[in-house]
Amino acid sequence: MNDITVIILTRNEALHIERAIASVAAFATRVLVIDSGATDNTVALAKAAGAEVRHNPWTNYATQFNWALDQIAGQDTWVFRLDADEVVTPELAAQIKAGLPDVAGISIGRQMCFMGQPIRHGGLFPIRVLRLFRNGRGRVEDRWMDEHTIVDGPVAGFSGCIIDDNRNNLDWWIAKHNSYASREVIDVLNQEYGFLPQESIGGLRPRDQAAVKRWIKEHAYARLPGGLRAGLYFIYRYVFQLGFLDGRKARAFHVLQGFWYRYLVDTKLMEVRDYITQHDATPVAAIEAVLGVTLTPLPERVAA
């Protein structure tokens, strides 16, 4: 069986961490948890479940995950990227345990749940994500939001999937997406002004679902008027992609994530741009003043 290192980023994930680690037990050689300052018993639970825990201050997901990769630089292992609130299905675990093909990376399906209810429509399943790759052949895009894995070499696919099933309450979800909206505004403004390095997988490669979606977002969606595009996207997802056929809780997800969140991003973007104009400020200064995010140079990547 292949050597596989599972990397999980955490901060206050006591509700999920044991479940996530248990779901990879069948194939994981090593579970590496990178914690950014948990104040609950996440770290103790992770260690009790057999994980190795290291600590690193949080900047964003991309820097944190790439820092984790630096900790295992040069080691002959595959890397499996798993969020703390995700679980690997038995089908996928069996496929991984059976052996990995001679490729650089492997894409898998991702099923989302909202308030415990699976989301089956709205163009959100199956979502293909690249989560398994050879160490040294992959990294996460240098972005503040919606980061994907980039690999150097051919990619295969498994039919098994991971399930995103966060068990926190709705207030937590709203607060998280408020933070996400600020991070997405940073990426949008950075694409326009170029004040930070930024990578993008965007490209019309028909077999790469994430790359096609990124191209549409950056070259089509971004050119539509703010606010209007949120409404158009919601109609596309809820009506044309049959989101209305989902259950009651999943329908609420389409409204919140497909419209409210996208409208929130556009409104925050408008607020930052107004500040730039009214105060003759730089985008970086406006982001700090309006969103409360200080953009400092990212640390150089150094292998441990």
Side-chain angles (χ1 to χ4, degrees), residues 173-202:
W173 188 94
I174 290 172
K176 182 184 77 166
H177 279 74
N178 182 49
S179 174
Y180 281 0
S182 295
R183 288 159 52 185
E184 187 155 345
V185 167
I186 294 171
D187 273 344
V188 171
L189 290 172
N190 193 33
Q191 187 178 354
E192 182 178 346
Y193 291 98
F195 47 83
L196 288 174
Q198 185 180 60
E199 296 175 303
S200 177
I201 61 169

Side-chain angles (χ1 to χ4, degrees), residues 59 83 155 229 238 286:
T59 300
D83 289 348
V155 175
R229 57 194 177 192
Y238 197 76

Side-chain angles (χ1 to χ4, degrees), residues 96-224:
I96 295 173
K97 187 176 182 180
L100 304 178
D102 185 17
V103 293
I106 298 172
S107 69
I108 59 180
R110 180 167 173 256
Q111 168 79 63
M112 298 182 67
C113 294
F114 183 70
M115 299 176 71
Q117 187 169 78
I119 298 164
R120 305 187 187 281
H121 299 90
L124 298 182
F125 185 77
I127 297 175
R128 301 297 301 181
V129 290
L130 204 160
R131 293 295 191 89
L132 184 58
F133 57 92
R134 291 183 186 274
N135 190 30
R137 302 285 294 276
R139 70 184 190 283
V140 172
E141 292 175 290
D142 186 5
R143 299 178 67 91
W144 275 77
M145 184 63 193
D146 194 29
E147 62 289 312
H148 293 281
T149 305
I150 303 172
V151 295
D152 178 19
V155 175
F158 279 167
S159 60
C161 69
I162 55 176
I163 299 176
D164 180 331
D165 183 21
N166 192 289
R167 295 302 176 91
N168 283 299
N169 61 27
L170 185 59
D171 279 350
W172 179 92
W173 188 94
I174 290 172
K176 182 184 77 166
H177 279 74
N178 182 49
S179 174
Y180 281 0
S182 295
R183 288 159 52 185
E184 187 155 345
V185 167
I186 294 171
D187 273 344
V188 171
L189 290 172
N190 193 33
Q191 187 178 354
E192 182 178 346
Y193 291 98
F195 47 83
L196 288 174
Q198 185 180 60
E199 296 175 303
S200 177
I201 61 169
L204 288 177
R205 300 190 298 273
R207 296 186 63 185
D208 190 334
Q209 185 187 65
V212 172
K213 286 185 175 180
R214 174 68 57 73
W215 188 94
I216 292 172
K217 185 175 181 180
E218 292 181 344
H219 297 277
Y221 182 86
R223 296 183 180 181
L224 295 172

Side-chain angles (χ1 to χ4, degrees), residues 255-297:
V255 175
L256 289 170
Q257 203 267 349
F259 178 70
W260 172 81
Y261 170 72
R262 299 252 55 94
Y263 202 92
L264 181 63
V265 172
D266 285 345
T267 306
K268 287 194 174 204
L269 184 60
M270 177 176 62
E271 186 181 21
V272 175
R273 282 179 169 154
D274 283 350
Y275 189 95
I276 292 172
T277 301
Q278 294 166 7
H279 298 270
D280 193 24
T282 65
V284 172
I287 287 167
E288 183 170 359
V290 176
L291 303 179
V293 179
T294 301
L295 299 178
T296 56

